[in-house]
Every structure is written in structure tokens, then in C-alpha cells.
Amino acid sequence: MRIQMLGLCRFSYLGGRGFQTAPDSLEERRAYLYDPQRLARRWFWFEHVTLPSLLVQTDPDFTLVLMTGPDLPDPWLSNLRELAGTVPQFRLALIPPMESHLDACMAAVAPHIEPGADVVGHFRQDDDDAVAVDYIRHARRDFADMRQLWERKRRLFCDYTRGVVLRVKPKGITTELRITHHASAALTVYLPPDAERCVVHYPHWQVGALMPGVALASRPMYVRLLHHDNDSGAVGPGYRTPVQPESFEPVLAERFRIDLAALRDGTERLLAG
């Protein structure tokens, strides 16, 4: 059985709807999204939180669509072009502003769906969150245990609920190991290749009402970075695990290839500037 793993990462995409806090008019959204200081923060977090684990996945058989607008300012557009040109799994999708955010996301993803796949494992990769180095391997392997459930409706989700939440505070970054239900990070939505849908068609906070699914919490599988630039700063339903690591540096380094000290130092400099 061929399971294609296909992710969507929206990097400051300029379009309509789809976000909770974006201004109303296109020009106001452009000014907000393309503010140089904001883009510098987003790129720093993308480089230091999101990218490290994606570049060393234990199963490298996946595609990640980097979606942005054709007028994203440099150097960030050039940076995305360079990534798409050097990382075999990355594809750059330049989508002009569209009022329907779902249509825009589908325009980015559709060219990369394998029509010959039996199942497509869609995932949403926010540009300031991370998945574990073995996320792709587990999302593909664990589907075998869920296949009978998939056959009922030919759509299914797998929610890896254990992860690390990093909160950017005025005096640093706090760390917490949590169980979070239906977070966007490390949530896989399995669809047939002809579904004409992708992961954003199923809001992560409502996914349990839209299809059957499974929650797995045996290992930390995601990092969520919460800060004032978030579209939504809510951590989501769940709870702090009773046992917390004595130090988060080894967990973040081994599972996500995140250097917590460098992340803290760089974030402090960006916020001070």
C-alpha cells in the first residue's frame, strides 16, 4: 500500500480568511504580514524550530509544500526558493491572493498529490511549530493499525497528543510537556487521493466531529511555540503531564533537533530589537 505523506506550510501567505487575527483589507493584511520585523521573527523561528527536524526525518519519503505569495519581500522569498531548490522534499507554491483560503491552499497542494497513491496522509506544518524526527515514519507505519477504521469512511485522523509547548515570555522561553488534543502540529488526516480536499478543509479543533480517529501519546511528537505573533495563542484542550523532564534540552535536541539555548538567545535579541 502506497501512503503518500504530504504537508502544507503557509509562510505569511497573503489572502482572505483562513486566519483569526488578520486585518480586513488586503492592503492592511499586506502591511501586517510583510512587516520586516515580523518576517525576521517568523524566519528565525522557522529556521530554529521548524526546519531542523524536517531536514533529518528518519523516513525521508514526504513532500512539504511551502506556500506563500509571489510578492513576499526578499530576502524571505529568495530564502524559500533556495530551500525548495536544495531540499528534495520541499516544493514552493506561489499563490496570488485569493479570497477563499481553502481554495488557495488546495491550489498549492493539488499539483503534488500522487494520483496513484492508495492513501494521502495530509499534515499542516505551521512555520513556528515542529514535528519529531520520526513523525513521518510513525504516521506512515501506524496507519496499518488503523486501516480497518479508515475503511469505514475513507477518511481518518491520527492525533499524536504528547508534545512540548514553548511559551515566549518577556524574560525568556518557558517549557512544558503537555497532552494536547487536536493541536495542529503532528495531526495527520488520511484521505484518498481523489478527495479534492486537504488538511485545512478539516479544522483541527473540530476534526473529531468530522471523521473517526485515533490518539497516540507514547512519545513527544510535536513542539508548539506560543508568542505574540501567533494567529491564535491558545494552547488547546489538554493538560500538563504529571511528570516533567528535569531538563528540556535533551528532549528538544534528540526528538526535534532544537537548540534551546540558541532559540532563547536569538528570540531575546529579536524582541529587544
Side-chain angles (χ1 to χ4, degrees), residues 37-99:
Q37 290 186 332
R38 178 188 177 277
L39 285 173
R41 292 191 297 271
R42 302 304 298 202
W43 188 260
F44 176 81
W45 289 324
F46 183 53
E47 278 194 307
H48 288 79
V49 177
T50 306
L51 280 180
S53 67
L54 290 172
L55 298 177
V56 294
Q57 284 293 305
T58 57
D59 180 352
D61 181 12
F62 70 96
T63 297
L64 182 69
V65 179
L66 304 173
M67 173 185 174
T68 192
D71 64 343
L72 180 73
D74 275 332
W76 298 284
L77 182 54
S78 293
N79 291 344
L80 291 175
R81 288 188 190 277
E82 182 178 359
L83 273 177
T86 56
V87 180
Q89 294 87 355
F90 291 178
R91 305 288 186 271
L92 181 60
L94 301 181
I95 307 299
M98 297 174 63
E99 188 58 27

Side-chain angles (χ1 to χ4, degrees), residues 1-263:
M1 169 177 273
R2 170 62 179 162
I3 301 174
Q4 180 193 12
M5 291 298 298
L6 179 59
L8 174 64
C9 179
R10 300 166 296 176
F11 189 85
S12 295
Y13 171 68
L14 176 63
R17 306 174 189 171
F19 298 96
Q20 299 180 38
T21 58
D24 291 332
S25 76
L26 185 65
E27 289 309 313
E28 287 174 328
R29 288 198 295 272
R30 179 179 281 108
Y32 168 74
L33 289 174
Y34 293 173
D35 173 75
Q37 290 186 332
R38 178 188 177 277
L39 285 173
R41 292 191 297 271
R42 302 304 298 202
W43 188 260
F44 176 81
W45 289 324
F46 183 53
E47 278 194 307
H48 288 79
V49 177
T50 306
L51 280 180
S53 67
L54 290 172
L55 298 177
V56 294
Q57 284 293 305
T58 57
D59 180 352
D61 181 12
F62 70 96
T63 297
L64 182 69
V65 179
L66 304 173
M67 173 185 174
T68 192
D71 64 343
L72 180 73
D74 275 332
W76 298 284
L77 182 54
S78 293
N79 291 344
L80 291 175
R81 288 188 190 277
E82 182 178 359
L83 273 177
T86 56
V87 180
Q89 294 87 355
F90 291 178
R91 305 288 186 271
L92 181 60
L94 301 181
I95 307 299
M98 297 174 63
E99 188 58 27
S100 170
H101 191 72
L102 295 181
D103 290 347
C105 290
M106 199 63 203
V109 169
H112 306 287
I113 294 175
E114 296 178 10
D118 298 291
V119 179
V120 181
H122 293 268
F123 62 98
R124 172 180 141 184
Q125 179 64 66
D126 286 354
D127 63 10
D128 53 1
D129 292 340
V131 292
V133 295
D134 53 2
Y135 163 69
I136 296 295
R137 180 169 69 91
H138 279 284
R140 180 173 277 122
R141 188 193 69 179
D142 293 341
F143 180 82
D145 296 328
M146 301 179 276
R147 185 169 177 177
Q148 287 187 332
L149 196 56
W150 148 267
E151 297 291 352
R152 292 185 182 181
K153 289 192 173 183
R154 290 179 60 77
R155 61 179 185 268
L156 174 75
F157 74 86
C158 180
D159 186 12
Y160 293 107
T161 58
R162 184 181 296 262
V164 180
V165 174
L166 306 178
R167 290 182 174 88
V168 177
K169 301 288 187 179
K171 296 185 178 181
I173 295 178
T174 65
T175 52
E176 181 183 47
L177 186 64
R178 284 184 62 88
I179 302 294
T180 305
H181 303 291
H182 304 162
S184 58
L187 176 70
T188 313
V189 174
Y190 301 95
L191 300 171
D194 59 355
E196 299 183 351
R197 296 288 187 276
C198 66
V199 66
V200 296
H201 286 86
Y202 304 94
H204 60 90
W205 63 91
Q206 294 177 340
V207 69
L210 301 172
M211 65 185 74
V214 174
L216 301 174
S218 59
R219 57 183 60 82
M221 199 64 86
Y222 65 85
V223 166
R224 286 208 64 207
L225 183 68
L226 301 182
H227 49 83
H228 73 281
D229 283 334
N230 285 128
D231 184 50
S232 169
V235 67
Y239 54 90
R240 187 177 190 267
T241 61
V243 178
Q244 295 286 306
E246 291 185 8
S247 171
F248 277 86
E249 278 83 355
V251 175
L252 292 170
E254 293 166 15
R255 297 290 296 150
F256 305 96
R257 300 298 191 266
I258 292 174
D259 183 333
L260 183 57
L263 179 65

